[in-house]
Amino acid sequence: MKSLRLSLVLVILLVVITPKIVSAQYSSNNYQTNEYQFGTGGDPQVTSPNYQAQAGIGSLGVGTVSGTAYQSYTGFLTPNEPFLELGIDTSSVNLGVLDTGSTKTGSANFHVRSYLDSGYTVLSVSQPPTVTSGAGSHTLAAKASLGAPAPGTEEFGINLVANTSPTTFGNDPSPQPDNTFATGQAAAGYGTQNQFKYNPGDVIAQSNANGWGLTNYTISYIANISLLTPAGSYSAEQDLVAVATF
C-alpha cells in the first residue's frame, strides 16, 4: 500500500471590483436624494457606553423594487455603500493516508456576504495538491469531468453540496437567515450530489442577479490514487476569489 498524506490549507484571495456606480443614492439629471427616509421618524445612531443601534419608526417603504432598467432598495436602515466579503471559516483539511482501495474525503467551510451588487461569483484558482516531501515532484490529477469517485484512479475533485457517497459529508449552500435575501448556490458542475470535478479557474459558487446577504458554503473534497502515484506528503493552498457584478 502506498501512503500519501494530503493536507489542504485554505487561503483567502479577495478581489475587490470598483464599480462605476457604487451608492444607494437615487438621482437623475434633475435631482438627487442621499439616504432620505419618508416616514414618521428615526435615529440612525442611538448609542451609549454599552451599545450602538439604529432605529426607524413608521417607514413607508421597505423592500426591493426592480424593473428591466432599474433596481431600488428602500427602508430606513439601508447603508449607502456596497460591499463584498469572503471569509474562510476552516483553516485546514487533512484527508489522511490515501490508498488505492478507497476514496478519502474531507470538507471545509467559507462564507460570502454582499450588499448592493448584481450578483457575485467565487472561483477556485489553485492547482490540485502537489507532493511536498518524497521522491521527485508530482501533482495529483484534477478530475476534469463530473463523475463519481473511482478508487484506484488518481484524481482530486470537489463539490459544494451534501453527499451520501462514498460517505456522508458536506452540506448544501445555506443562505442566511433564509432564502428571502441571499441567493448563493453551487455553480454548474459543482452542485450535483455524489458527483465531483475540479478544474483550476472554475466558478464554484455564485448568486443570482438580485442576490445579497450572507450564504454559508461547504467544499467537499475527494482524493484517490493509483498504483503509479508517487508516494509522499501532498499539500495544496486553495485560493478562492470572489468577484462582484455591478
Side-chain angles (χ1 to χ4, degrees), residues 17-25 79-83 115-116 246:
I17 304 298
T18 303
K20 294 182 179 179
I21 300 175
V22 296
S23 73
Q25 302 169 1
N80 68 344
E81 295 294 335
F83 62 82
Y115 178 69
L116 286 181
F246 289 89

Side-chain angles (χ1 to χ4, degrees), residues 138 150 231:
H138 185 73

Side-chain angles (χ1 to χ4, degrees), residues 37 40-47 51-57 59 76-77:
Q37 192 242 2
T40 57
D43 190 341
Q45 190 168 358
V46 183
T47 62
Y51 70 87
Q52 180 173 352
Q54 294 176 311
I57 304 172
S59 294
F76 184 70
L77 301 178

Side-chain angles (χ1 to χ4, degrees), residues 8-228:
L8 302 177
V9 180
L10 298 181
V11 175
I12 298 174
L13 271 183
L14 180 61
V15 173
V16 179
I17 304 298
T18 303
K20 294 182 179 179
I21 300 175
V22 296
S23 73
Q25 302 169 1
Y26 299 101
S27 63
S28 74
N29 293 331
N30 301 313
Y31 75 91
Q32 178 176 340
T33 63
N34 184 356
E35 294 300 305
Y36 275 71
Q37 192 242 2
F38 300 94
T40 57
D43 190 341
Q45 190 168 358
V46 183
T47 62
S48 81
N50 299 315
Y51 70 87
Q52 180 173 352
Q54 294 176 311
I57 304 172
S59 294
L60 299 181
V62 177
T64 302
V65 180
S66 63
T68 57
Y70 71 92
Q71 188 168 18
S72 171
Y73 298 88
T74 59
F76 184 70
L77 301 178
T78 55
N80 68 344
E81 295 294 335
F83 62 82
L84 175 64
E85 173 188 288
L86 168 64
I88 300 299
D89 304 308
T90 302
S91 61
S92 65
V93 182
N94 192 333
L95 301 189
V97 178
L98 277 66
D99 59 68
T100 58
S102 61
T103 299
K104 295 301 186 290
T105 63
S107 61
N109 301 315
F110 72 95
H111 69 268
V112 178
R113 190 165 65 104
S114 65
Y115 178 69
L116 286 181
D117 58 36
S118 296
Y120 63 80
T121 58
V122 178
L123 300 85
S124 180
V125 299
S126 50
Q127 296 297 316
T130 299
V131 66
T132 55
S133 63
S137 61
H138 185 73
T139 299
L140 290 182
K143 190 175 180 66
S145 299
L146 184 65
T153 300
E154 183 181 306
E155 59 183 359
F156 171 79
I158 67 172
N159 70 22
L160 277 77
V161 294
N163 301 286
T164 59
S165 178
T167 186
T168 300
F169 71 118
N171 294 288
D172 292 336
S174 177
Q176 301 295 318
D178 52 36
N179 292 317
T180 303
F181 300 108
T183 59
Q185 56 194 300
Y190 294 92
T192 304
Q193 186 181 61
N194 303 332
Q195 303 283 299
F196 303 85
K197 66 177 291 191
Y198 189 73
N199 289 297
D202 273 0
V203 173
I204 63 172
Q206 61 191 36
S207 71
N208 68 22
N210 296 320
W212 54 286
L214 170 70
T215 299
N216 292 320
Y217 296 95
T218 298
I219 302 176
S220 299
Y221 300 92
I222 61 99
N224 281 303
I225 59 172
S226 72
L227 292 173
L228 299 179

